[in-house]
Amino acid sequence: MVKIRLWQNHSEQNGTLENERRNFPVFSPGGQPEKNHGGGEDQRQKNVREIMKELDSLVGLAGVKKLVGEIHAFVEIQRRRQREKLATEPQVLHMVFKGNPGTGKTTVARIIGRLFKEVGVLPKGHLVEVERADLVGEYIGHTAQKTRDQIKKALGGILFIDEAYSLARGGEKDFGREAIDALVKGMEDHKDNLILILAGYRQEMEWFMESNPGLRSRFPIHITFPDYTTTELLAIADLMLKKRQYHLSPGARDELRLILEETRSLHVHSGNARLVRNLIERAIRQQAVRLVRKGQVSREELMTITREDILQAHESSPGI
């Protein structure tokens, strides 16, 4: 069980992190606060505010943001209670992320890792992302070692397992079961130094939780990532383009909206950011081809994605 445990947040010195020294809680075993050398409480609070601001800036995901905010508030209050020598409540923080690809699961996991570092739950807060092939071996005993190696990489942070349900799909003799057993043992052995996030399609993850009765109690936090609406996908496109110093012409915006609505009507699971990213990247390449042929171009032309660019990008999109 992952408990609320406060870690020192040391600064980087000579290219190495002092917080590699494990098991240095901010509070001593006797309950007396030790001096925090991580830049002070004001800096910590500032870092937390910046991380939460980054979370809030993500398009959509209202329910996700609400639940992450609740988790943060709980951890913060436990921290303050511990300072006042009040009883604190242990909390299991392993999570299940349910949703289609491209709905922000990995992005949110990285933000949570950084947040948990700042509030003292994790000493590092980094994210190690793996899938079945990274955990499951080819012969007896190989899987357990591969899984332990990934756990070791993730110590102090988050082990994010994408398409986690695939570990239980091969039947009783499949080595995926061995990976699950090794993960459960790792959770117990490193309960104060590791958080697991299992991710995948909603229905598959619900089936996976039911396939192993011991998993649900170990992963009490379930967060559902809904598909983006057409309006949200357009907002994501605007952010992607703004970051690259481009923008859509009015005609390009109308065409992109039509393409997104058509695609969503044809494909059940098409409301994701990957669809938009692929279209935008292809449109930028189409714009480059168009402008190179033109010769002299203005600054505004260099920044504008036109309806023609979007149409060409759509026509060259495989499977859309």
Side-chain angles (χ1 to χ4, degrees):
M1 178 175 65
V2 174
K3 298 180 181 179
I4 305 301
R5 184 187 182 114
L6 305 183
W7 299 82
Q8 284 179 316
N9 184 9
H10 295 284
S11 60
E12 189 170 350
Q13 296 182 358
N14 299 323
T16 60
L17 288 171
E18 288 187 359
N19 66 0
E20 291 291 336
R21 298 177 296 168
R22 285 186 237 152
N23 299 327
F24 275 73
V26 173
F27 289 80
S28 64
Q32 295 299 319
E34 298 175 357
K35 185 177 180 181
N36 190 327
H37 300 287
E41 179 66 12
D42 290 344
Q43 183 61 47
R44 187 189 72 83
Q45 292 287 356
K46 179 181 178 182
N47 294 342
V48 169
R49 287 194 297 271
E50 290 177 352
I51 292 170
M52 295 304 293
K53 183 178 179 180
E54 180 180 345
L55 176 67
D56 289 339
S57 71
L58 298 178
V59 174
L61 303 176
V64 175
K65 295 172 185 177
K66 180 177 182 293
L67 186 49
V68 173
E70 291 173 1
I71 296 169
H72 165 237
F74 175 84
V75 171
E76 183 64 35
I77 291 303
Q78 295 305 304
R79 180 187 184 95
R80 296 180 188 180
R81 286 178 60 87
Q82 190 171 350
R83 284 179 175 172
E84 298 297 328
K85 301 180 183 179
L86 295 170
T88 56
E89 182 71 19
Q91 174 71 35
V92 179
L93 295 175
H94 302 300
M95 308 178 193
V96 175
F97 284 7
K98 296 180 284 189
N100 295 316
T103 50
K105 296 188 295 295
T106 306
T107 298
V108 171
R110 289 197 179 98
I111 291 174
I112 288 175
R114 289 163 47 210
L115 176 65
F116 280 1
K117 177 186 176 183
E118 292 300 330
V119 298
V121 172
L122 293 169
K124 296 181 183 178
H126 65 297
L127 184 80
V128 175
E129 184 177 359
V130 299
E131 55 187 19
R132 177 187 165 93
D134 300 306
L135 302 174
V136 178
E138 300 175 357
Y139 50 84
I140 295 175
H142 189 207
T143 294
Q145 185 58 52
K146 288 186 71 173
T147 303
R148 285 194 295 267
D149 289 343
Q150 296 298 338
I151 289 173
K152 185 177 180 180
K153 292 179 185 177
L155 287 180
I158 293 174
L159 181 61
F160 182 92
I161 306 175
D162 198 15
E163 298 183 353
Y165 51 83
S166 64
L167 296 175
R169 273 190 165 174
E172 291 297 329
K173 295 183 179 180
D174 184 73
F175 292 139
R177 302 279 178 173
E178 187 179 349
I180 295 173
D181 293 340
L183 288 169
V184 171
K185 186 176 187 304
M187 292 164 63
E188 295 297 328
D189 292 345
H190 307 287
K191 58 186 178 181
D192 293 326
N193 199 25
L194 178 70
I195 287 176
L196 262 65
I197 297 179
L198 308 182
Y201 292 101
R202 180 176 179 178
Q203 290 185 343
E204 281 83 349
M205 290 307 298
E206 290 175 354
W207 167 83
F208 180 48
M209 288 291 107
E210 295 300 326
S211 70
N212 189 318
L215 285 178
R216 187 168 294 277
S217 62
R218 290 182 170 90
F219 292 88
I221 301 174
H222 289 226
I223 303 180
T224 299
F225 289 71
D227 288 350
Y228 294 107
T229 65
T230 300
T231 300
E232 289 170 342
L233 291 174
L234 285 170
I236 291 171
D238 286 335
L239 288 173
M240 291 178 178
L241 288 166
K242 183 178 180 180
K243 184 177 180 181
R244 296 167 173 82
Q245 292 188 304
Y246 290 92
H247 60 258
L248 295 169
S249 70
R253 173 175 293 280
D254 292 340
E255 190 61 41
L256 180 56
R257 178 183 291 276
L258 288 174
I259 291 171
L260 292 174
E261 290 176 347
E262 178 186 357
T263 305
R264 284 171 58 83
S265 67
L266 294 175
H267 304 284
V268 177
H269 302 308
S270 61
N272 60 64
R274 293 181 188 179
L275 167 66
V276 173
R277 183 178 66 244
N278 291 338
L279 278 169
I280 292 302
E281 289 176 351
R282 279 191 284 267
I284 289 174
R285 293 196 296 269
Q286 294 298 329
Q287 185 234 40
V289 171
R290 176 173 57 80
L291 293 182
V292 164
R293 292 171 179 168
K294 186 175 181 180
Q296 293 292 328
V297 295
S298 67
R299 175 184 174 88
E300 179 62 20
E301 287 176 307
L302 289 170
M303 297 173 64
T304 303
I305 301 296
T306 67
R307 181 175 181 272
E308 176 188 351
D309 300 327
I310 294 294
L311 281 171
Q312 291 290 332
H314 179 48
E315 291 173 0
S316 65
S317 301
I320 297 180

